[in-house]
Amino acid sequence: MTYYDVSMAIKPDIQVYKNKPEKRPVFIEAATHDVAGVYETLIHLNLHTGTHMDFSLHMKKDGKTSTNFDFTRLIRDVKVFDLTHVKDGITKDDLIDFDINPGDFVLLKTRNSYEDTFNFEFIFLAESGSTFLKDKKVVGVGIDALGVERNQKGYPTHNTLFDHDIIIIEGLRLKDVKEGNYHMIALPIKIEAVEALPLRVVLYDVRKNPISNNQ
Amino acid sequence: MTYYDVSMAIKPDIQVYKNKPEKRPVFIEAATHDVAGVYETLIHLNLHTGTHMDFSLHMKKDGKTSTNFDFTRLIRDVKVFDLTHVKDGITKDDLIDFDINPGDFVLLKTRNSYEDTFNFEFIFLAESGSTFLKDKKVVGVGIDALGVERNQKGYPTHNTLFDHDIIIIEGLRLKDVKEGNYHMIALPIKIEAVEALPLRVVLYDVRKNPISNNQ
């Protein structure tokens, strides 16, 4: 197998932020074979469910929405960093030894990837880590938590990343992926004018090109 | 520009099948800056909204769902056929002159791509067209209608395609794409055990490889 689906499966019992019941997806039979001749599902979906990306409207009243987002920014090479030893927030010190260059898109693998239920003490990107990544001029950050930060007053991690137009992906599942370089293909569904978008994220072995290898 | 986003934008006034109000997406403010300090949207979304793929549970009680769908089947080369002259159902005769080989994934461009409101007389794939494509051993069919067929008793087009494990994508927007060969990258969001999945579909010029060209 040369690819990794690093997306969370959306289902009725998917983990949701702080286990809040109103954040749980609801599946409704909108049409059934017996009555309508076809089967259709209606889903009630908070846009921050499972693997998703945030836009700055999530935190800022005058923030950006999904409209006109350039999806080609999500089809590119990425670096996965193993931070499974980190016990709380990921700080500058945790990141300083990695090879990070301007233009990099980094995915942070933590022990969160091994947990299928919501952990109120989930690992997150601490403010110092976000400032360090911003100073390194990364263009995107992905993490395997439903939030890129927790319990930081004023949301400095989100805001540092948003203020520098750094893409934020949350809710990755990186258990099966080793530290290293990969091709990423990620595509959000196309919903206009919202503060977050569910997306599918897959990684390919960097030695294989998914386009040139499957024909 | 070397890529084409051929997905429909989901928004409150998106066209929906037969203009049925219950099929319209509903956007709800689940959290607001003033009250919660963050902004979050909850969406009520019929899974057949906009660009989506069908699984056979849509038509068959014992049909397949989205669970375990191999998304790599959607990252591949495709052929776009210009059928904008067709006035009703696309028949075998409309398709017979195209170069179609076993393993092809074909996208049918019709006048639907030029219409932003639902047309009750939308162009569709007629039963004879679906049988012809099945006999040609295509592996996927995409169309720019919200349904791959209409007004065919027993849904023979859906069922012919489902019975031969041919992928069905509906709701494409192909106005900006000329007939020809493209790379397709399409990824559905990862929802388990449902009969349809919204997905994002993008096409790249076949002479350019999105993975090798953006680094």
Side-chain angles (χ1 to χ4, degrees):
Chain A
M1 189 174 78
T2 63
Y3 67 82
Y4 304 89
D5 183 354
V6 296
S7 318
M8 204 179 284
I10 297 174
K11 50 190 177 177
D13 65 347
I14 187 176
Q15 62 169 299
V16 295
Y17 200 74
K18 295 189 177 176
N19 294 332
K20 292 184 178 178
E22 68 271 23
K23 290 188 185 284
R24 217 163 260 303
V26 177
F27 293 74
I28 295 160
E29 287 186 333
T32 60
H33 297 108
D34 287 342
V35 176
V38 301
Y39 190 87
E40 292 191 9
T41 301
L42 171 71
I43 183 170
H44 293 184
L45 186 73
N46 181 301
L47 293 179
H48 303 259
T49 307
T51 310
H52 66 281
M53 56 183 301
D54 284 346
F55 298 90
S56 59
L57 177 64
H58 181 39
M59 294 302 176
K60 298 169 190 285
K61 275 194 180 181
D62 59 350
K64 284 187 190 170
T65 72
S66 57
T67 302
N68 296 325
F69 173 71
D70 176 7
F71 68 84
T72 65
R73 297 169 67 191
L74 298 171
I75 299 172
R76 50 162 300 126
D77 287 349
V78 294
K79 294 179 175 177
V80 174
F81 297 157
D82 189 333
L83 294 153
T84 51
H85 57 283
V86 174
K87 298 279 189 282
D88 190 46
I90 298 165
T91 64
K92 175 181 178 176
D93 285 349
D94 295 318
L95 295 168
I96 203 159
D97 288 335
F98 288 103
D99 173 36
I100 308 177
N101 300 302
D104 279 354
F105 199 119
V106 302
L107 306 185
L108 310 176
K109 175 183 178 177
T110 79
R111 67 178 192 200
N112 298 329
S113 280
Y114 297 83
E115 297 175 349
D116 288 333
T117 55
F118 184 78
N119 183 343
F120 282 78
E121 303 298 313
F122 68 83
I123 311 304
F124 64 101
L125 180 61
E127 179 175 6
S128 74
S130 68
T131 304
F132 177 75
L133 291 176
K134 176 265 291 179
D135 290 341
K136 283 285 190 177
K137 302 192 188 307
V138 305
V139 297
V141 175
I143 193 164
D144 51 7
L146 287 175
V148 70
E149 73 187 306
R150 65 171 165 79
N151 298 340
Q152 295 190 132
K153 192 173 160 59
Y155 308 110
T157 294
H158 275 93
N159 284 319
T160 298
L161 301 177
F162 285 144
D163 287 347
H164 295 84
D165 199 25
I166 297 168
I167 291 169
I168 301 174
I169 298 178
E170 298 170 330
L172 292 170
R173 299 282 83 187
L174 296 167
K175 185 174 62 170
D176 298 328
V177 182
K178 291 181 184 163
E179 181 168 298
N181 298 324
Y182 298 86
H183 294 310
M184 176 172 77
I185 295 180
L187 284 177
I189 51 173
K190 188 171 182 171
I191 307 177
E192 280 196 357
V194 288
E195 83 295 341
L197 288 177
L199 82 172
R200 187 71 170 266
V201 185
V202 299
L203 303 183
Y204 282 82
D205 190 307
V206 76
R207 292 162 299 185
K208 297 257 188 185
N209 187 310
I211 289 290
S212 60
N213 280 278
N214 76 341
Q215 297 310 312
Chain B
M1 190 172 78
T2 63
Y3 66 82
Y4 304 88
D5 183 354
V6 295
S7 318
M8 204 179 285
I10 297 174
K11 50 189 178 177
D13 64 347
I14 187 176
Q15 61 169 299
V16 295
Y17 200 75
K18 293 189 178 175
N19 293 331
K20 292 184 178 178
E22 69 272 22
K23 291 187 184 285
R24 218 162 259 303
V26 177
F27 293 74
I28 296 161
E29 287 186 335
T32 60
H33 296 107
D34 288 342
V35 176
V38 301
Y39 189 87
E40 292 191 7
T41 301
L42 171 70
I43 184 171
H44 293 186
L45 186 73
N46 181 300
L47 294 179
H48 303 259
T49 307
T51 310
H52 66 280
M53 55 184 300
D54 284 346
F55 298 91
S56 59
L57 177 64
H58 182 40
M59 294 301 175
K60 296 170 190 285
K61 275 193 180 181
D62 59 349
K64 285 188 189 170
T65 73
S66 57
T67 302
N68 297 323
F69 173 71
D70 175 8
F71 67 84
T72 65
R73 297 170 67 191
L74 298 171
I75 300 173
R76 51 163 300 124
D77 287 348
V78 294
K79 293 179 175 176
V80 174
F81 297 156
D82 189 332
L83 295 154
T84 52
H85 58 282
V86 174
K87 298 277 188 284
D88 190 46
I90 299 166
T91 63
K92 174 181 178 176
D93 285 348
D94 294 319
L95 294 168
I96 203 159
D97 289 335
F98 288 103
D99 174 36
I100 308 177
N101 300 301
D104 279 355
F105 199 120
V106 302
L107 306 184
L108 309 176
K109 176 182 177 178
T110 79
R111 68 178 193 201
N112 298 328
S113 279
Y114 296 83
E115 296 176 350
D116 289 332
T117 54
F118 184 78
N119 184 343
F120 283 78
E121 302 298 312
F122 69 82
I123 311 304
F124 64 101
L125 180 60
E127 179 175 7
S128 73
S130 68
T131 303
F132 177 74
L133 291 176
K134 176 265 290 181
D135 289 341
K136 283 283 190 178
K137 301 191 188 308
V138 306
V139 298
V141 174
I143 193 164
D144 52 7
L146 288 174
V148 70
E149 73 187 305
R150 64 171 165 80
N151 297 341
Q152 295 190 132
K153 192 172 161 59
Y155 308 110
T157 293
H158 275 94
N159 284 319
T160 298
L161 300 176
F162 285 143
D163 288 346
H164 295 84
D165 199 25
I166 298 167
I167 291 170
I168 301 174
I169 297 178
E170 297 170 330
L172 293 170
R173 298 283 82 185
L174 296 167
K175 184 173 63 169
D176 299 328
V177 182
K178 290 181 185 164
E179 182 168 297
N181 298 324
Y182 297 87
H183 294 310
M184 175 172 78
I185 295 180
L187 284 177
I189 52 173
K190 188 172 181 170
I191 307 176
E192 280 196 357
V194 288
E195 84 294 343
L197 288 176
L199 82 171
R200 188 71 170 265
V201 184
V202 299
L203 303 182
Y204 282 82
D205 190 307
V206 77
R207 292 161 298 185
K208 298 256 188 186
N209 188 308
I211 289 291
S212 61
N213 281 278
N214 76 342
Q215 298 309 313

